[in-house]
Amino acid sequence: MTTTPIHLQRPDGKGLAAGTLGLWGSTVIGLASTAPVYSLVATLGFVVLAVGAQAPIAFVIAFIPMLFIAFAYRELNRAVPDCGTTFTWGTKAFGPWVGWMGGWGVAVAGMVVLANLAQIASIYFWALFGLEFENNDWRILLVAVAFIAAMTWVSWRGVEIGERIQNILLAIQYLALAIFVVAALWQFFAGTAPNPTPFDISWLNPFGFADWSGFTEAVLLALFIYWGWDTCLALNEETKDPKRTPGRAALLTTVILLVTYVSVTIAAMMYAGLGEDGVGLGNESNADDFFLAIKDGLLGPFGWVLVIAVLISAVSSTQTTILPTARGTLAMGVYRALPARFKDVHPVYRTPSFSTLVMGVVAVVYYVGMSLISDNILQDSILSLGLAIAFYYAITGYACVWYFRRELFRSAGAFVVKGLLPLLGALMLTYAFIQSAIDMWDVDYGYTVLFGIGGTFVIGIGALAVGVVLMFVWFLFPRSKRFFRGESLNRDTEVLVPDEGDYGRSVDGGLI
């Protein structure tokens, strides 16, 4: 298993496999990264508890900042199609310190969610055999670590094999969701649903929220289920037509997710209602796993289909979560923001070999370590995930406005897509970050109390603070000097990307 670095003084940029993905392949990976089935399982019940019948419109409202930030990603990618994404763009716009922290935000989010995804995949794996264990049981840990190792290998082995696997896994996920929606509506119209609730247009009324705290909680929860679409931007250097295809895939991904989440939510409400007992969406005991609560009543002997769907969703997202983080640290290694080993690219598979392996090892160490200390701390680290997401998405939005500041008034279109929408998205996410931090300070927010305040706050803000410490530590090393002096990466730096050209047909058959 050789990981000899490729020298970068050549037209293939950082050495990644240029032209590997088309629009469809890029969109598939963006969708898979969000883990649509798992995201609904983990979020739908809690959103209903927060806002009741306004759950569908909460998902629509949470989509708005995601869409606005997707425009920022698209425009920045057109100008700077670099796999470092937020790190590279933040550095070009605001300098090395902001850029480094943006890259750290991406890494933190990836590490934390990997631990959660692996644990969920393991829990559902054992559920297939009718077995149930404590979250930190050795059997749960063993299978979770095996999933992380397997998906790390797939990511190390190459984007092509990963993209082909994701096509299959995503198809199974959407088939399961389609079965869920059809079965739920069929029972509603047949009158056999446990609590048939006719659709009401007020479910989509943005002014129908009863209280502000419930509204903000629901939107913050809903932000999580959209997160992950930016993976297709991190694969820009491996995508056919890297300046346009990834941006189109990002916008297409967010729209598909919106339609998916709203339609599934409405079908679930029509089938189960909002009651506080039984399978009702208002039942707190079902909030953390609505699908498991209704699978037998909805699908009878075929209830295992939903179990398989959640398992596949978690495993699928485990692999796609590794991709952007590994490519982000690859870019940081190339531009001297991390040790030189991080820029190693496999000479055959043309993947960020060292970065991918490090990501897998760190995820395993973090997951096992946190689980052995306390499963409650692990759960609080997952609840704090929204802080890292809002942090680096907001940096991207602000970076877009500042990077294009001299172009904003050349046309109305440029002002809207390069200035207004990214700024609004960044402001919304900044508010989400601040409001989340305030809420997390409360000792009742999560599962733990640390230093007399909410453990979720300590873990979320603490993770970002660790990044500040590591950044200053790296600043002390000689290799870092050119980066922190703004020499290895600045606004005028030519990014190390593949030469433009005709790559022919991508592995997914797409021609753009």
Side-chain angles (χ1 to χ4, degrees):
M1 184 185 300
T2 178
T3 58
T4 305
I6 287 179
H7 295 292
L8 298 177
Q9 291 76 21
R10 37 186 287 179
D12 59 0
K14 300 180 185 68
L16 297 170
T20 302
L21 298 172
L23 179 61
W24 174 247
S26 188
T27 303
V28 164
I29 287 178
L31 287 169
S33 295
T34 63
V37 176
Y38 161 69
S39 296
L40 280 165
V41 165
T43 309
L44 177 57
F46 291 108
V47 171
V48 171
L49 288 177
V51 294
Q54 303 309 117
I57 193 61
F59 287 123
V60 175
I61 292 173
F63 165 77
I64 294 172
M66 292 293 98
L67 179 64
F68 290 174
I69 294 300
F71 277 107
Y73 269 82
R74 187 190 71 173
E75 296 305 316
L76 285 166
N77 183 73
R78 282 178 173 174
V80 188
D82 189 275
C83 69
T85 59
T86 298
F87 157 73
T88 303
W89 302 331
T91 302
K92 280 182 164 286
F94 300 121
W97 303 95
V98 173
W100 202 99
M101 285 304 298
W104 176 252
V106 175
V108 166
M111 177 182 66
V112 172
V113 82
L114 265 178
N116 179 237
L117 289 166
Q119 185 181 72
I120 292 296
S122 182
I123 290 170
Y124 273 78
F125 171 81
W126 289 112
L128 284 175
F129 304 99
L131 299 173
E132 185 176 338
F133 305 111
E134 294 294 326
N135 286 353
N136 54 4
D137 184 273
W138 68 270
R139 286 157 290 199
I140 296 291
L141 295 179
L142 181 65
V143 173
V145 168
F147 278 131
I148 294 176
M151 292 302 102
T152 300
W153 180 83
V154 169
S155 300
W156 174 83
R157 179 61 178 76
V159 169
E160 292 187 32
I161 184 174
E163 186 266 341
R164 288 166 180 162
I165 290 173
Q166 292 300 339
N167 269 297
I168 297 170
L169 298 184
L170 190 69
I172 295 172
Q173 287 187 66
Y174 268 88
L175 176 62
L177 288 176
I179 291 171
F180 173 88
V181 170
V182 170
L185 294 180
W186 181 278
Q187 291 200 30
F188 167 78
F189 288 111
T192 56
N195 187 15
T197 305
F199 171 76
D200 192 326
I201 194 64
S202 66
W203 296 353
L204 297 173
N205 178 11
F207 304 104
F209 294 97
D211 80 9
W212 183 252
S213 62
F215 165 74
T216 55
E217 180 184 354
V219 171
L220 291 171
L221 285 166
L223 283 177
F224 166 73
I225 73 172
Y226 287 109
W227 173 65
W229 53 264
D230 51 307
T231 296
C232 52
L233 276 300
L235 299 177
N236 47 18
E237 296 182 38
E238 295 147 278
T239 304
K240 182 179 172 63
D241 195 356
K243 290 189 176 182
R244 287 184 287 268
T245 299
R248 292 172 180 170
L251 292 173
L252 182 58
T253 297
T254 55
V255 172
I256 292 173
L257 288 172
L258 171 66
V259 173
T260 300
Y261 293 147
V262 172
S263 60
V264 171
T265 300
I266 290 174
M269 290 169 63
M270 292 175 69
Y271 170 80
L274 303 172
E276 298 180 1
D277 51 20
V279 298
L281 285 168
N283 186 343
E284 290 188 26
S285 62
N286 298 335
D288 61 346
D289 204 330
F290 174 67
F291 278 23
L292 275 186
I294 69 166
K295 65 181 180 65
D296 294 328
L298 181 66
L299 299 178
F302 298 100
W304 54 267
V305 169
L306 292 181
V307 176
I308 287 284
V310 177
L311 170 61
I312 284 176
S313 183
V315 171
S316 171
S317 190
T318 299
Q319 191 253 328
T320 52
T321 298
I322 294 170
L323 298 177
T325 310
R327 280 146 184 81
T329 52
L330 166 72
M332 293 178 79
V334 167
Y335 296 117
R336 295 175 174 266
L338 283 178
R341 283 296 304 278
F342 282 91
K343 70 178 182 179
D344 288 5
V345 173
H346 196 283
V348 177
Y349 304 137
R350 303 183 74 183
T351 57
S353 53
F354 183 76
S355 290
T356 299
L357 296 175
V358 166
M359 182 63 186
V361 170
V362 170
V364 167
V365 171
Y366 174 81
Y367 167 62
V368 174
M370 295 293 273
S371 295
L372 293 178
I373 294 171
S374 168
D375 185 61
N376 286 341
I377 292 181
L378 177 63
Q379 298 309 314
D380 271 355
S381 73
I382 294 158
L383 288 176
S384 71
L385 187 63
L387 293 179
I389 297 170
F391 177 76
Y392 83 82
Y393 275 174
I395 286 177
T396 306
Y398 291 127
C400 182
V401 177
W402 192 247
Y403 184 83
F404 293 114
R405 64 189 182 279
R406 298 185 182 92
E407 305 174 24
L408 296 183
F409 299 101
R410 293 180 182 175
S411 69
F415 175 76
V416 171
V417 299
K418 295 180 179 179
L420 180 61
L421 297 184
L423 179 60
L424 289 175
L427 289 172
M428 290 176 186
L429 290 167
T430 300
Y431 172 77
F433 180 92
I434 295 171
Q435 185 63 51
S436 291
I438 292 171
D439 291 343
M440 290 173 186
W441 182 277
D442 191 330
V443 294
D444 294 325
Y445 186 91
Y447 299 94
T448 59
V449 177
L450 300 173
F451 310 114
I453 57 179
T456 309
F457 176 90
V458 174
I459 295 169
I461 297 298
L464 295 175
V466 167
V468 175
V469 173
L470 292 177
M471 179 172 60
F472 278 103
V473 169
W474 176 239
F475 174 76
L476 300 176
F477 285 78
R479 174 178 161 78
S480 73
K481 301 307 179 186
R482 288 188 58 200
F483 172 73
F484 286 108
R485 287 198 300 259
E487 296 171 0
S488 61
L489 181 60
N490 54 54
R491 184 181 179 88
D492 300 320
T493 303
E494 288 289 333
V495 295
L496 292 165
V497 297
D499 284 346
E500 293 188 47
D502 182 9
Y503 296 118
R505 185 173 295 275
S506 62
V507 295
D508 63 350
L511 284 172
I512 306 303

